Amino acid sequence: MKLSSLRVRLLVLIVLVLVALLLPLGFLSAKHTLEEVDELSDGRLAQAARTLEVLVGRVGVEHLREHHLERLLVPSVSNHPQELTVQGRTFESEVGFQVFDRDGTLLLATENLAEVPPTQVADGAFEDIQKGKYQWRVFTLVMEREGVVIRAGERYDSRNEITRALWLEHGLPALLGLPLMAFLVGLAIRRGLAPLDTLAAALSRREPGSREPVDLPDAPEELRPVVAALNQQIERLEGALERERHFSADVAHELRTPLASTMINLEDAMASARPDEAHTALEAARACLVSLARRTEQLLALARLEAGAAAGPRSPVDLTQLALDVVDEMATVIGAGHVELGVELPDTLVIEGYGTALRALLRNLVENAFRHAPAGGHVQLSIRQEGDRARIEVADDGPGIAPERRAAMFTRFQRGADTQAGGYGLGLSIVQRAVELHGASIRLGDPETGTGLVVVVDIPLLPGA
């Protein structure tokens, strides 16, 4: 059975635990009490036989043998105020006795045991005897010197009454108290889980878009980590939504210009009567579409990284092979730019990371360097291991970035001073996001020689990488 309510689940579990604990304890307690009652009753029976032994000794066995025919029977000891009290309850008992000669002749007996024949039982032994519809507990005492056997018996009625009373006293309160106990436990659970209702009410009252933390002043110690984690999750979620809103606004702004330019050029081509003017307008429209396609590709790459699409399980990534793949992929761009590319790579350098994000990082660093390097210039890509980090360096001899503007270059759509390079201000944003995914660091600096810019990325090597 699947319990959907936490309160019901706790109630059922607590009641089951109590039942599993109390029932065996009650059973063992009743069993032990009954054993004590049986020992007490057997002791009384033996004591009665010892008392009869003293009386027989005083009367004299010979006297009993001479007058046993006249005094064979005595009244039964029944319904007299010889009572046994157990746990506040009073029970009457019916007892009887027999006195036999050595040869089995009945010398003296109570009416209720007069017809029970003698049995061969050792001295001091107990036995159960069935007489009619009643069962008797009998104790046998042998007087060796006098040659007399004394038997004292007690009917099981009183013992059975005690047994029934004890089972009722132990079982009935538990059966009657279990529903009450379940009700009280349910109230206690409801009160104990009240902070969850308070938390739910606090969440339901929150305004959409609110970044205020959930405040639960009297939260129990077990609920505080939940509230803290919930506040952190709300903060991350609101931050992500805020970035998404800014991203959507930036995308709309950045795509508006090339779309508008494309529409204008197409309208000019359609309105022009001269083929050369129409061709020029179509070429301009094509250039706008190429720009739009490249800008859209970068925006989609940034959106995938922002959404954490690359932040699944890490896997082994060979930076050397990845760099060679990126260089091969950009061979056309590299060849068309008349810029020399220098590559310094180890034989292999494997790290645990996200291949898609690292590919985007390398591609954008190399592409930015080629875009800003002048014709006949030089771009240097180097990868090496330094201690517990993998270092990626991309340097160019372009105009560089002023130190005071370098921090702002990681913001979306921020362009360098040489805006004629044709960038859209998204490359370093993509690099920054890939760096964050790997817990890495990035800095912009000056090359050791000449002008330009060097970008250094340090990626920590995870244990076992």
Side-chain angles (χ1 to χ4, degrees):
M1 180 178 62
K2 186 176 180 181
L3 302 177
S4 58
S5 171
L6 182 59
R7 291 189 177 92
V8 175
R9 185 178 304 179
L10 288 174
L11 176 61
V12 170
L13 290 176
I14 292 175
V15 170
L16 288 179
V17 169
L18 291 176
V19 169
L21 180 65
L22 294 179
L23 284 184
L25 289 178
F27 176 80
L28 293 176
S29 175
K31 185 173 181 295
H32 177 71
T33 303
L34 290 175
E35 290 175 353
E36 292 291 336
V37 169
D38 286 339
E39 292 180 4
L40 176 63
S41 299
D42 287 346
R44 290 175 56 256
L45 198 58
Q47 185 179 13
R50 297 293 180 184
T51 303
L52 187 58
E53 177 186 15
V54 174
L55 295 176
V56 169
R58 290 184 178 181
V59 171
V61 177
E62 293 300 330
H63 181 75
L64 288 177
R65 288 194 180 100
E66 292 175 0
H67 302 281
H68 76 277
L69 295 177
E70 294 86 358
R71 304 181 62 182
L72 178 64
L73 300 180
V74 297
S76 301
V77 183
S78 176
N79 297 323
H80 286 72
Q82 181 180 351
E83 299 174 345
L84 175 65
T85 301
V86 178
Q87 296 185 358
R89 293 177 59 90
T90 301
F91 303 92
E92 292 185 356
S93 59
E94 180 166 341
V95 296
F97 66 85
Q98 295 173 313
V99 179
F100 292 96
D101 200 351
R102 189 184 302 276
D103 57 2
T105 303
L106 183 64
L107 302 178
L108 187 66
T110 56
E111 295 175 349
N112 49 13
L113 284 183
E115 299 177 0
V116 177
T119 56
Q120 296 297 325
V121 181
D123 182 26
F126 289 90
E127 61 178 329
D128 294 332
I129 295 177
Q130 189 73 31
K131 179 178 180 293
K133 61 179 182 178
Y134 298 112
Q135 190 176 20
W136 291 74
R137 180 72 167 171
V138 177
F139 174 76
T140 301
L141 179 63
V142 179
M143 301 174 63
E144 292 290 347
R145 189 175 61 182
E146 292 81 358
V148 174
V149 177
I150 299 175
R151 294 204 302 177
E154 178 188 13
R155 237 168 57 185
Y156 266 104
D157 301 54
S158 60
R159 299 193 183 198
N160 294 335
E161 289 181 6
I162 293 174
T163 301
R164 287 192 296 269
L166 286 176
W167 282 119
L168 286 177
E169 288 185 5
H170 283 78
L172 192 59
L175 292 177
L176 295 180
L178 191 60
L180 178 60
M181 179 179 63
F183 175 73
L184 295 177
V185 169
L187 291 181
I189 291 174
R190 180 179 295 275
R191 184 175 180 83
L193 296 180
L196 292 178
D197 297 331
T198 305
L199 177 60
L203 292 175
S204 64
R205 290 194 301 266
R206 289 177 60 85
E207 294 293 335
S210 173
R211 302 183 68 168
E212 291 294 325
V214 177
D215 186 20
L216 216 62
D218 299 326
E221 184 176 352
E222 293 79 6
L223 198 57
R224 289 173 190 169
V226 177
V227 175
L230 184 60
N231 284 330
Q232 293 176 1
Q233 187 65 26
I234 290 173
E235 183 67 23
R236 287 195 294 266
L237 180 59
E238 293 297 336
L241 292 176
E242 186 68 19
R243 290 193 299 271
E244 187 69 24
R245 286 191 289 268
H246 290 166
F247 182 75
S248 300
D250 292 340
V251 168
H253 173 73
E254 288 297 315
L255 297 184
R256 185 183 299 115
T257 299
L259 284 174
S261 299
T262 302
M263 292 298 298
I264 291 173
N265 287 312
L266 288 176
E267 289 174 357
D268 289 345
M270 294 174 63
S272 176
R274 296 175 57 183
D276 55 340
E277 292 180 355
H279 180 74
T280 301
L282 288 174
E283 285 293 333
R286 180 181 179 279
C288 290
L289 288 176
V290 171
S291 173
L292 178 62
R294 183 166 171 274
R295 191 174 302 191
T296 303
E297 181 183 355
Q298 283 192 314
L299 288 171
L300 290 175
L302 182 59
R304 284 193 294 270
L305 292 179
E306 288 286 357
R314 294 194 182 200
S315 59
V317 179
D318 187 350
L319 288 180
T320 299
Q321 186 60 47
L322 190 63
L324 293 175
D325 293 342
V326 169
V327 171
D328 290 340
E329 181 183 345
M330 299 181 61
T332 303
V333 176
I334 295 173
H338 305 290
V339 176
E340 180 184 355
L341 174 64
V343 177
E344 183 181 346
L345 303 174
D347 293 336
T348 182
L349 180 53
V350 178
I351 67 171
E352 291 288 328
Y354 309 112
T356 303
L358 291 172
R359 179 183 293 273
L361 181 148
L362 285 170
R363 179 181 176 84
N364 279 277
L365 287 180
V366 174
E367 188 176 14
N368 281 350
F370 269 91
R371 185 178 301 113
H372 294 90
H378 180 79
V379 172
Q380 180 68 29
L381 168 63
S382 63
I383 298 177
R384 62 184 179 273
Q385 181 175 348
E386 291 194 358
D388 60 349
R389 291 176 175 270
R391 172 164 291 186
I392 301 174
E393 287 187 5
V394 179
D396 65 75
D397 53 4
I401 300 174
E404 63 272 12
R405 299 194 68 250
R406 288 173 184 172
M409 296 308 298
F410 295 104
T411 306
R412 297 170 188 161
F413 308 112
Q414 284 289 330
R415 297 176 176 85
D418 59 332
T419 53
Q420 68 274 12
Y424 304 110
L426 289 172
L428 287 180
S429 295
I430 295 174
V431 172
Q432 174 70 13
R433 181 55 182 153
V435 165
E436 292 173 354
L437 286 174
H438 291 84
S441 63
I442 183 172
R443 62 182 176 86
L444 307 181
D446 298 318
E448 295 180 358
T449 59
T451 61
L453 180 72
V454 59
V455 183
V456 180
V457 177
D458 286 328
I459 305 175
L461 298 174
L462 295 180

